[in-house]
Amino acid sequence: MLTAFARAFKTPDLRKKLLFTLGIIVLYRLGAHIPVPGVSYENVQTCVDQASKGNNSLFGLVNMFSGGALLQITIFALGIMPYITASIILQLLTVVIPRLEALKKEGQSGTAKITQYTRYLTVALAILQGTGLVATARSGALFSGCPVADQIVPNQSIFTTIVMVITMTAGTAAVMWLGELITDRGIGNGMSILMFISIAASFPGALWAIKQSGKLADGWIEFITVILIGFVMVGLVVFVEQAQRRVPVQYAKRMIGRRSYGGTSTYIPLKVNQAGVIPVIFASSLLYIPALIVQFSNSTAGWATWIQDHFVKGDHPYYIATYFLLIVFFAFFYVAISFNPEEVADNMKKYGGFIPGIRAGRPTAEYLSYVLNRITWPGSLYLGLIALVPTMALAGFGGANQNFPFGGTSILIIVGVGLETVKQIESQLQQRNYEGFLR
């Protein structure tokens, strides 16, 4: 593999792409450490240090996607999350709104328009989320229990608030632009690369925090155990993410003039985890809503106390069971809206394709639905286990924390993006008759 890296950098155009990608990554990480105007940097650091010692995981998911920039209230505080949310919303609306579905079928021009709509929605969501973050920081609710939480924004005038929101919105637009630059001129999908870097940047600090909070042999046993769990999980995720059910497809021969067309055999690759990481993100986001309501309501009623006890810390059986069931539900839901068996069957019938032993048309659609439902069950259960096993394993040492570095969302994104990027470099090396990463 090291030889493949050396050959990648010896190829002039590939080296240029790799160095360009690394340069964008450096800019992105620099922006994640520049504080927003109007924020007291000293007070923020005090509260961040205190939060890292506890289990304050209310904003854990968004903070993870921003590479820790959210809780430090930097210019890239919102990170890539508004773009992810906008992309998911547009993808869901494509199924509901006929106009968007028609655009999707128009090819490159339609995709360009949908991308433009995604950018507009990203900016709108950034304004909304930036306003919410500034309001939360001003009220002191961003770091509950920190003695200087209400002094994070010393000047609470309207002008300062507007400047903070505009700065964070511009930061989100800049992140979106940097991601598109990587896609156009670098290696891999830009947004995925930035997400990968954001998550990977939090790994060293999270691992060291586990070591410092450990009790067995000064924390070294917990530290080594977590790393071993991480290796096992990476192997499991790679195995399942690469697994697929290949449905054979045969194309009939057609004579046009004196030439024969068709007669080829191919297959439809149906992945075991067809939904990817989306169900975990949906379930996590939905479970944050009750905790947010309780935090902003400041209520001492019975329902608020019950939610605080059962759904905030993340290690209660009610939370674990609800999280698991939501992941399974969203896995089936997302597969149902992202893969249309009837459309695939119609396209196969149009071009003379058929599955051996299955009649074309409706029987083919029913067969594909049957196969997809069967492989979605193990895929959804795998997602639920990947999301929950780390939390339960770490709870065995008395330190359950949703910011566990090898948690479900982070490990799925790290492995998925890593595999896709390596495959792209591999394909470019093979085009030049070089030996790649994979033997």
Side-chain angles (χ1 to χ4, degrees), residues 15 18 41 141 166 171 174 210 218 267 287-288 331 336 352 355 373:
R15 179 176 67 241
L18 289 170
Y41 181 77
I166 290 175
I210 290 172
D218 292 332
Y267 59 86
L287 282 177
Y288 279 133
I355 298 173
N373 285 332

Side-chain angles (χ1 to χ4, degrees), residues 32-55:
H33 290 85
I34 301 174
V36 171
V39 173
S40 173
Y41 181 77
E42 293 78 9
N43 292 338
V44 168
Q45 293 305 311
T46 302
C47 292
V48 167
D49 292 340
Q50 181 173 336
S52 63
K53 298 175 183 177
N55 284 334

Side-chain angles (χ1 to χ4, degrees), residues 130-179:
T131 305
L133 177 60
V134 172
T136 308
R138 286 177 55 179
S139 65
L142 188 62
F143 297 99
S144 55
C146 179
V148 293
D150 56 347
Q151 301 174 24
I152 289 178
V153 185
N155 184 2
Q156 299 193 0
S157 65
I158 296 178
F159 177 76
T160 303
T161 303
I162 293 174
V163 169
M164 292 176 69
V165 172
I166 290 175
T167 303
M168 283 190 281
T169 304
T172 300
V175 169
M176 185 168 55
W177 178 60
L178 292 176

Side-chain angles (χ1 to χ4, degrees), residues 64 199 202-203 206-207 210 226 394 402-407 410-411:
M64 179 186 71
I199 297 170
S202 62
F203 270 34
L207 286 171
I210 290 172
V226 167
L394 199 57
Q402 267 194 319
N403 293 327
F404 176 63
F406 298 107
S410 59
I411 202 71

Side-chain angles (χ1 to χ4, degrees), residues 124-349:
L125 289 174
I127 295 172
L128 186 64
Q129 293 180 14
T131 305
L133 177 60
V134 172
T136 308
R138 286 177 55 179
S139 65
L142 188 62
F143 297 99
S144 55
C146 179
V148 293
D150 56 347
Q151 301 174 24
I152 289 178
V153 185
N155 184 2
Q156 299 193 0
S157 65
I158 296 178
F159 177 76
T160 303
T161 303
I162 293 174
V163 169
M164 292 176 69
V165 172
I166 290 175
T167 303
M168 283 190 281
T169 304
T172 300
V175 169
M176 185 168 55
W177 178 60
L178 292 176
E180 291 179 355
L181 281 179
I182 293 178
T183 304
D184 293 339
R185 303 182 186 178
I187 289 291
N189 182 284
M191 301 302 175
S192 300
I193 294 289
L194 295 183
M195 201 188 309
F196 177 97
I197 295 301
S198 298
I199 297 170
S202 62
F203 270 34
L207 286 171
W208 191 246
I210 290 172
K211 189 267 174 189
Q212 288 183 321
S213 62
K215 299 177 182 178
L216 303 175
D218 292 332
W220 285 109
I221 292 181
E222 288 92 338
F223 181 78
I224 294 173
T225 303
V226 167
I227 291 180
L228 291 177
I229 291 173
F231 277 119
V232 171
M233 288 186 63
V234 168
L236 175 63
V237 170
V238 170
F239 178 76
V240 179
E241 290 297 316
Q242 298 289 84
Q244 55 183 224
R245 168 72 183 274
R246 296 181 175 181
V247 180
V249 178
Q250 183 76 31
Y251 284 92
K253 285 187 177 181
R254 293 180 298 167
M255 293 297 295
I256 301 177
R258 294 183 177 182
R259 293 189 177 183
S260 174
Y261 294 90
T264 58
S265 298
T266 182
Y267 59 86
I268 302 174
L270 298 178
K271 295 181 66 176
V272 173
N273 181 24
Q274 189 84 4
V277 74
I278 300 297
V280 181
I281 295 176
F282 276 14
S284 302
S285 303
L286 201 61
L287 282 177
Y288 279 133
I289 294 174
L292 279 172
I293 293 173
V294 170
Q295 182 152 357
F296 286 116
S297 65
N298 293 324
S299 176
T300 57
W303 64 270
T305 306
W306 189 86
I307 291 177
Q308 188 77 22
D309 294 338
H310 295 80
F311 283 93
V312 173
K313 291 186 179 180
D315 56 352
H316 195 277
Y318 285 0
Y319 178 92
I320 292 174
T322 306
Y323 191 29
F324 184 83
L325 292 174
L326 282 174
I327 289 174
V328 173
F329 168 76
F330 281 123
F332 278 92
F333 173 76
Y334 190 76
V335 168
I337 67 171
S338 61
F339 185 89
N340 190 347
E342 294 182 359
E343 185 179 345
V344 175
D346 289 341
N347 288 334
M348 287 170 54
K349 186 176 180 181

Side-chain angles (χ1 to χ4, degrees), residues 341-391:
E342 294 182 359
E343 185 179 345
V344 175
D346 289 341
N347 288 334
M348 287 170 54
K349 186 176 180 181
K350 186 188 300 183
Y351 294 104
F354 62 94
I355 298 173
I358 307 294
R359 294 185 64 181
R362 185 176 180 82
T364 299
E366 292 175 350
Y367 178 76
L368 289 175
S369 298
Y370 170 73
V371 172
L372 198 61
N373 285 332
R374 286 188 65 187
I375 65 173
T376 302
W377 270 113
S380 62
L381 296 177
Y382 144 81
L383 281 177
L385 290 175
I386 287 293
L388 293 176
V389 166
T391 301

